[in-house]
Amino acid sequence: MWNRPVDKLIAGMLTLISPDGTVRDGLSITLEETRELYADMVEARTYDHKCMAMQRQGRLATYAPFEGQEAAQIGAAAALRPDDWVAATYRDAALMWRAGYPWALLIAGRTGDERGGQAPDGLNVLPPSITVGGHMIHAVGLAWAEALNGSDRVALTSFGDGATSEGDFHEAMNFAAVYTTPTVFLCQNNGFAISYPRDEQTRSESIAMKADAYGMPGVIVDGNDVAAVLTVVGEAVARARSGEGPTLIEAVTYRLGPHTTSDDPARYRDEDETGEWRTRDPLERVRALLERAGAWTPEWHAELEARSADVIEEAVAEAEALPRPTAAEMLSRMYAQPTGPLRAQLDEIGA
Amino acid sequence: MWNRPVDKLIAGMLTLISPDGTVRDGLSITLEETRELYADMVEARTYDHKCMAMQRQGRLATYAPFEGQEAAQIGAAAALRPDDWVAATYRDAALMWRAGYPWALLIAGRTGDERGGQAPDGLNVLPPSITVGGHMIHAVGLAWAEALNGSDRVALTSFGDGATSEGDFHEAMNFAAVYTTPTVFLCQNNGFAISYPRDEQTRSESIAMKADAYGMPGVIVDGNDVAAVLTVVGEAVARARSGEGPTLIEAVTYRLGPHTTSDDPARYRDEDETGEWRTRDPLERVRALLERAGAWTPEWHAELEARSADVIEEAVAEAEALPRPTAAEMLSRMYAQPTGPLRAQLDEIGA
Amino acid sequence: MSEQTLAQALNGALATALETDERVVLLGEDIGRTGGVFRITDGLRAKYGEDRVFDTPVAESGIVGAAFGMAIAGMRPVAELQFLGFSYPAYDQIINHVARIRNRSNHRFTAPMVIRVPYGGGIGAAEHHSESTEAIYAHIPGLKVVVPSTPSDARGLLLAAIEDPDPVLFLEPIRLYRAVKEEVSELYYTTEIGPMRVEREGRDITLISWGAMIKETRAAAGQLEEKGASVEVLDLRTLSPIDQDGIVASAAKTGRVVVVHEAPRTAGLGAEVAAIIQERVLYSLLAPVRRVAGWDTVFPLKRSEAHYLPSPDRIVRAAEETLEA
Amino acid sequence: MSEQTLAQALNGALATALETDERVVLLGEDIGRTGGVFRITDGLRAKYGEDRVFDTPVAESGIVGAAFGMAIAGMRPVAELQFLGFSYPAYDQIINHVARIRNRSNHRFTAPMVIRVPYGGGIGAAEHHSESTEAIYAHIPGLKVVVPSTPSDARGLLLAAIEDPDPVLFLEPIRLYRAVKEEVSELYYTTEIGPMRVEREGRDITLISWGAMIKETRAAAGQLEEKGASVEVLDLRTLSPIDQDGIVASAAKTGRVVVVHEAPRTAGLGAEVAAIIQERVLYSLLAPVRRVAGWDTVFPLKRSEAHYLPSPDRIVRAAEETLEA
Ligand SMILES: Cc1ncc(C[n+]2csc(CCOP(=O)(O)OP(=O)(O)O)c2C)c(N)n1
Ligand SMILES: Cc1ncc(C[n+]2csc(CCOP(=O)(O)OP(=O)(O)O)c2C)c(N)n1
Ligand SMILES: [Mg+2]
Ligand SMILES: [Mg+2]
């Protein structure tokens, strides 16, 4: 069955590009920008499909796909400056990548290699949070530090609808509001926390309205509309950057695939519901818009797909070429310098 | 300086007896009931003053006074049935007592004796929570169990404004709403968490409005008006008892004394502010009302005070007559039956 | 009797508990609709109803705290936390509330509840999904900590935990869920919480372990026996209260002990085992009690897992050095 | 140099850190306006400003998590939690985030931060206000755990902790805050995290302790010396990383060891000390390593405190039995 509360939400939320590709008032990005966002979403989806396939081949550990959520992730990241902070989750590979994190490292992480968490120097994107909820307050601390240091960097944290039930969500929201930190809270409400539907997760009508409880603005946006997400996150980023404090954004979207490669969605949701959401595919509506504007051709799309496939293949090769991690590396990563007990253990393993 | 947000709140909240003792529309308790509530508040204040004095004499460990909050506590407890559950805090002695907990046990607890936490058989009042925030979810579990068992008992949990910042507040509120448990959340907003003022604790205009974030009704009430508190808590209890679920109540009040006997309020608040709140004394307005109705005389008051003093003295004597707890008791309280290691340790202490 | 995996035995025990004691309710993330990430509660919501088996919001402190309230009110809640690495948000509820209510109310209120948690590594799982922090729970007075390693113990200990008048943290070795099969009775029976299980008797050396590490320890014992040593293997199966007498008796007999656990060595539960043994039978010890454990690191991701986990080889080497000492 | 209590030394160290390193900020409940429940931050907000010293909402996970974010962004936050019993809501942040960021980012992001927490009993405080759960923190890889017992160590270790590139849990023995006075330098100096301190040298027996229990241990050592024993007293002062070599050297010298701590005995840090000693110098041991510790109970309320806390008498008795063994 259709996820009722989302139904209601869709009525009130900001959409700039309708599911059929028609444009609504307020769309302010150029055609060229739209083409770039489209290209990014194609690349992200290519990555997602590749990872699903690799996991089935046993080349990756558990993988959490984001198919269906590309607009929310690419749109949000596109609103950031390259030096802004990002604290995101296991499902946010597209967001992290668009914020500058290399595909190769994201893949390395999924092969089960801690080196995948080592962002390139200068890039302020944290390794993805695997625990649900704990990382939001980090974005508050990061933003707070930047503000205290007089920088105008902001911190964006992305999380799911399920994460809003954790006590840490509450503490993070409250601290951000109390200290007016430049933090953007991006909730990708994809309808489920594993099998648990959004309308059981909380009885509030929306997640965005929870912002009121902290004296913080809350905004609800069509999470499958890359332009709307870019706009709304852009406004929140601008508020944050100018010292006006945090914003909570609820991007209403849907996870088309399973929770992770270990999950079986048939146990908790209907094919129909998923089918319904496929008609709201975030790539499709941009394609329709572009096509109508004469800026999309099957050839261009094929070219994008081919280029993306190459890029992802290269990233896979790079990740898989990482030499096998040694035990000594494992022991040496715990502190700046191995402590006494660890030095003794390094001796024990003969390193 | 005056605590600004409270100022604003006072405008919107339910008051039935004004600070000068005049009655507002909607007061529905009888004169006799009002006299009883007054008597209870006098007894509670007598206890509070006695404990402050005893602590200064070294007869009690740290004590957290509730002076100024008598109406919130007595009013709330008066709305309960004797078999309802109560999960309250270190500052809620008046509430616990009015719910059936003997003064003697409350005092025993404050002398540093675990036996003070042993409610009389059949009384569903938990020992006071010393950690801030953790006990609210217990009232959710208690209420949930009662509902599942088909009983119509409700659970009331009392906590402070500071406690609303803990993650556990959020999880408790959310669970209560998700499972429609018969729980009454009573926040005694007394303006401070130790030294931290309410308006820094959270940026929401009221605490009551936080209920919205959970799809739960929230009510704000003059916490120094015993009749208003009784009415509002009574309504919430009725809702809960009839299966309509939880309510959040914010009782706006003020702690006239220090946070605890170790605290020095001069470090963080103004005499003027405290003075201002003394004009809103919860006992005084009821006295004025009764006096105007010819139901209060200095003689009656003196009688109440004398009787209260006797009752409290007796409770003190009872608490102080408790034999010194033994080490064996301490070791035997951890499990239904001492475990192997504890049996060995009991041997070691020669028990 | 039927042949069951550890996972099946747990599922069966929960069904039996729901069947025989109407005070039993289950709650946890995804345990209803999907039967939980490891399907331990599979089918129970369908069979026993939505008012016995509850899916919950993602909030571990809430799950434990609500279960605690239910327990005080006379129910027998069995809460599931998805992985031991996600139990920490509930640590405050467990240590400050669940484990203490009997003490602070002088027996008046109690928390007869079970917190079930899959634990341990070895399946190449994501970060935080392979924790073995049993030591931080075994140190908490008022709590019991149980770890079955066989299907029949799983059933017996889980039913005992649900019956127990005090709160029990019930750790389930992820790696063994489907790795072991055994004939398990379908009758109602309990396995006493406390006494360890002698997995194999021997004279020359004692190997002590619990949870999934029993598998490696068993393999090591096999290799050692082949080389001519007579090896005793103890499965602690209850970590708190720890079976001091059982441990000490075996140590006194063999004079040589190796403790094996997945958790980091420093301040792990192996330290307690070593401390007890030297305290009580120092003069019977023919060699130091050795600890084969995880290194003092975070449990690593898939590619480094083999570096971290004690292997039969490491256990054999430590045992041989102990035998030679 | 001036004569200072431990509390004054800590206040001075924080002032020095705020003075010399602009990355240092303090945050915690009531630390600004009132200087904290123990007045350790007294005057610092007035002197260093509201953008260096922050009062916070009542939310321990938030305090630690926010400090952690600040540390990643290059600051040197010093968070205060009011009592160790209120650190548990932050346990998840500490174990799953603070202690792991270096590992999970392969050194790219780090958490140079300090979490200061008053700990231990002996002042007849309310429930949860007397905890000594150092063992559950010493078991966490990636974290350091420090406990000063003298004013000069307090200053040196706190400045070292603030300088440290890794997160440090800094435990402050409540009972010693104002119970000890010592000449303390006002200069900037650090005391190395790791090495224990030999509080007193001796030949016959080693008493090992930390925190407030140093006081009882010192008293016991005095009594024992009067009876003719030569007693060595070690103040571990760093609990993680534990000074294995220092402990072992002393145990090898005296052959007799008693460990003293306030925490419950089972799975307390005394177990680790005993395990290390028997592991490395079993054959030098003339008697079992004994543990004089809290009982396996919740820390009791005022009237039972004396039943619980190790007393000089209990230590002397254990030492005498150890000397006679
Ligand atoms: C603290 C914690 N509890 C439980 C889990 C297990 N878990 C992983 S993802 C998930 C659901 C999260 O749902 P949501 O926040 O909506 O994010 P989504 O997966 O839908 O993107 C759960 C319960 C976890 N990782 N961390
Ligand atoms: C988890 C926890 N953190 C901190 C404390 C210390 N503490 C005791 S009372 C208090 C303030 C609570 O304020 P509020 O909730 O407003 O209640 P009030 O004392 O005003 O009644 C604090 C921080 C505690 N007891 N528990
Ligand atoms: Mg979701
Ligand atoms: Mg308050």
Side-chain angles (χ1 to χ4, degrees), chain B residues 69 89-91 130-134 159-164 166 188-194 201 255 259-260, chain C residues 92 96, chain D residues 29-30 37 58-60 82-83 85-87 89 129:
Chain B
Q69 303 182 215
T89 80
Y90 50 86
R91 200 181 304 290
I130 305 296
T131 73
V132 168
F159 49 91
D161 44 310
T164 66
E166 290 280 3
Q188 289 173 62
N189 170 6
N190 65 2
F192 292 90
I194 308 186
Q201 191 71 241
R255 152 169 69 70
H259 169 69
T260 66
Chain C
D92 178 59
N96 270 339
Chain D
E29 294 158 15
D30 307 291
V37 281
V58 188
E60 292 73 19
Q82 268 180 2
F83 286 89
F86 308 139
S87 68
H129 287 69

Side-chain angles (χ1 to χ4, degrees), chain A residues 231-306:
Chain A
T231 303
V232 166
V233 176
E235 283 166 8
V237 166
R239 278 194 76 234
R241 221 184 285 295
S242 65
E244 289 166 72
T247 307
L248 171 64
I249 296 164
E250 174 180 3
V252 180
T253 179
Y254 192 83
R255 155 168 67 71
L256 290 171
H259 169 69
T260 67
T261 42
S262 322
D263 177 45
D264 171 14
R267 286 188 173 240
Y268 56 84
R269 71 185 188 191
D270 214 284
E271 283 288 307
D272 288 358
E273 178 184 302
T274 315
E276 184 78 42
W277 273 96
R278 285 212 175 269
T279 67
R280 303 178 51 81
D281 186 301
L283 275 69
E284 199 42 44
R285 67 174 78 179
V286 183
R287 191 201 56 73
L289 177 157
L290 290 173
E291 193 170 12
R292 197 165 305 132
W296 185 94
T297 61
E299 295 71 35
W300 180 59
H301 184 84
E303 193 188 308
L304 284 181
E305 287 200 322

Side-chain angles (χ1 to χ4, degrees), chain C residues 32-267:
Chain C
R33 289 179 181 77
T34 69
V37 282
F38 290 105
R39 310 281 181 253
I40 304 305
T41 54
D42 201 18
L44 299 178
R45 174 149 153 161
K47 179 133 189 228
Y48 297 99
E50 303 200 356
D51 55 352
R52 303 287 302 279
V53 181
F54 296 93
D55 277 331
T56 66
V58 188
E60 292 73 17
S61 186
I63 293 168
V64 171
F68 174 61
M70 292 172 122
I72 293 177
M75 306 200 80
R76 296 268 162 166
V78 181
E80 175 180 303
L81 302 179
Q82 269 182 1
F83 287 88
L84 193 55
F86 308 139
S87 68
Y88 311 135
Y91 196 73
D92 178 59
Q93 284 292 336
I94 297 171
I95 186 170
N96 270 339
H97 298 286
V98 173
R100 290 188 195 199
I101 188 67
R102 180 185 290 279
N103 177 68
R104 61 209 292 263
S105 73
N106 198 28
H107 296 282
R108 171 68 172 81
F109 297 111
T110 58
M113 60 188 276
V114 179
I115 306 171
R116 293 180 38 244
V117 199
Y119 99 108
I123 60 163
E127 226 185 323
H128 312 285
H129 287 70
S130 306
E131 306 279 294
S132 312
T133 40
E134 62 269 16
I136 66 165
Y137 289 102
H139 188 47
I140 301 182
L143 187 69
K144 296 182 180 181
V145 182
V146 168
V147 187
S149 81
T150 69
S152 55
D153 274 3
R155 180 175 175 83
L157 286 167
L158 185 49
L159 288 171
I162 295 170
E163 264 188 15
D164 202 280
D166 289 300
V168 179
L169 179 72
F170 194 89
L171 300 175
E172 301 172 359
I174 293 171
R175 201 148 40 104
L176 299 186
Y177 269 142
R178 288 169 176 83
V180 280
K181 274 205 161 181
E182 195 178 56
E183 287 293 321
V184 178
S185 160
E186 266 116 25
L187 299 178
Y188 190 100
Y189 69 92
T190 58
T191 303
E192 194 188 344
I193 293 177
M196 55 159 212
R197 183 175 62 84
V198 180
E199 147 102 17
R200 155 190 216 142
E201 289 196 54
R203 291 175 316 277
D204 300 336
I205 187 166
T206 304
L207 307 183
I208 302 180
S209 193
W210 55 86
M213 274 297 127
I214 283 292
K215 217 174 146 216
E216 275 65 27
T217 305
R218 204 183 280 143
Q223 291 181 33
L224 289 162
E225 295 259 355
E226 271 173 34
K227 298 186 187 181
S230 166
V231 182
E232 181 140 310
V233 177
L234 309 184
D235 174 4
L236 286 193
R237 78 183 172 177
T238 292
L239 304 182
S240 175
I242 195 165
D243 186 356
Q244 297 182 338
D245 293 342
I247 291 168
V248 164
S250 179
K253 178 172 74 171
T254 64
R256 303 178 197 271
V257 181
V258 175
V259 197
V260 183
H261 63 64
E262 285 185 44
R265 183 188 296 167
T266 297

Side-chain angles (χ1 to χ4, degrees), chain A residues 156-181:
Chain A
L156 178 138
T157 180
S158 165
F159 50 91
D161 44 312
T164 65
S165 290
E166 290 279 2
D168 272 357
F169 165 75
H170 180 66
E171 300 192 13
M173 291 286 289
N174 194 43
F175 270 62
V178 165
Y179 300 107
T180 325
T181 70

